[in-house]
Amino acid sequence: MPYDTSLADRITDLLTARRLRFTTKAMMGGLCFMVNDKMCLGVTQARLMVRLDPAVEAESLKRRGCRPMDFTGRAMKGYVFVDPEGYDTEQDLRHWVELALAFNPKAKASKKRSSPPK
């Protein structure tokens, strides 16, 4: 299973309820939620990926199910994974979504790659 579709649906419902414009992209073997053209949240396997303010990362890592995001063996600052026990209730999932959305206006957009000339 590349990603948990029920978790993706729950995130979609929360973002839609807030009347946010967002897009989804297949990325890193999962699904990424882009808000304001910036990576905000994601789902890989059964893990929730949250992009958050690095200033609240240490405190967030104390929450149940939260751990550093490390695709390459090295933690990425400002990103965490949350395992299912950390987002199982709607209140827990809403917490993570709110953290990601609070940081989104301050987050830097990734550099757009220009297409090679044809």
Side-chain angles (χ1 to χ4, degrees), residues 3 13 46-47 110:
Y3 66 88
D13 291 346
R47 298 176 299 204
S110 63

Short mmCIF file of all heavy atoms in Angstrom, two decimals, residues 3 13 46-47 110:
data_model
loop_
_atom_site.label_atom_id
_atom_site.label_comp_id
_atom_site.label_asym_id
_atom_site.label_seq_id
_atom_site.Cartn_x
_atom_site.Cartn_y
_atom_site.Cartn_z
N TYR A 3 0.01 4.47 0.23
CA TYR A 3 -0.40 5.38 1.29
C TYR A 3 -1.81 5.06 1.74
O TYR A 3 -2.60 4.46 1.02
CB TYR A 3 -0.26 6.85 0.89
CG TYR A 3 -1.18 7.30 -0.20
CD1 TYR A 3 -2.45 7.80 0.09
CD2 TYR A 3 -0.79 7.26 -1.53
CE1 TYR A 3 -3.31 8.23 -0.91
CE2 TYR A 3 -1.65 7.69 -2.54
CZ TYR A 3 -2.89 8.18 -2.22
OH TYR A 3 -3.74 8.60 -3.21
N ASP A 13 -11.04 16.22 3.89
CA ASP A 13 -12.25 16.72 4.55
C ASP A 13 -11.95 17.94 5.43
O ASP A 13 -12.70 18.91 5.42
CB ASP A 13 -12.92 15.63 5.38
CG ASP A 13 -13.53 14.53 4.53
OD1 ASP A 13 -13.69 14.71 3.30
OD2 ASP A 13 -13.85 13.46 5.11
N ALA A 46 1.20 4.55 6.26
CA ALA A 46 0.20 4.94 7.26
C ALA A 46 0.67 6.14 8.07
O ALA A 46 0.08 6.49 9.07
CB ALA A 46 -0.08 3.77 8.20
N ARG A 47 1.75 6.79 7.61
CA ARG A 47 2.31 7.92 8.35
C ARG A 47 1.78 9.24 7.81
O ARG A 47 1.62 9.41 6.60
CB ARG A 47 3.83 7.96 8.22
CG ARG A 47 4.53 6.78 8.79
CD ARG A 47 6.00 6.86 8.52
NE ARG A 47 6.23 6.88 7.08
CZ ARG A 47 7.36 6.51 6.50
NH1 ARG A 47 8.37 6.13 7.22
NH2 ARG A 47 7.49 6.55 5.20
N SER A 110 9.11 25.76 -2.74
CA SER A 110 10.26 25.14 -3.41
C SER A 110 10.50 25.86 -4.72
O SER A 110 9.59 26.43 -5.32
CB SER A 110 10.00 23.66 -3.65
OG SER A 110 8.91 23.49 -4.52
#
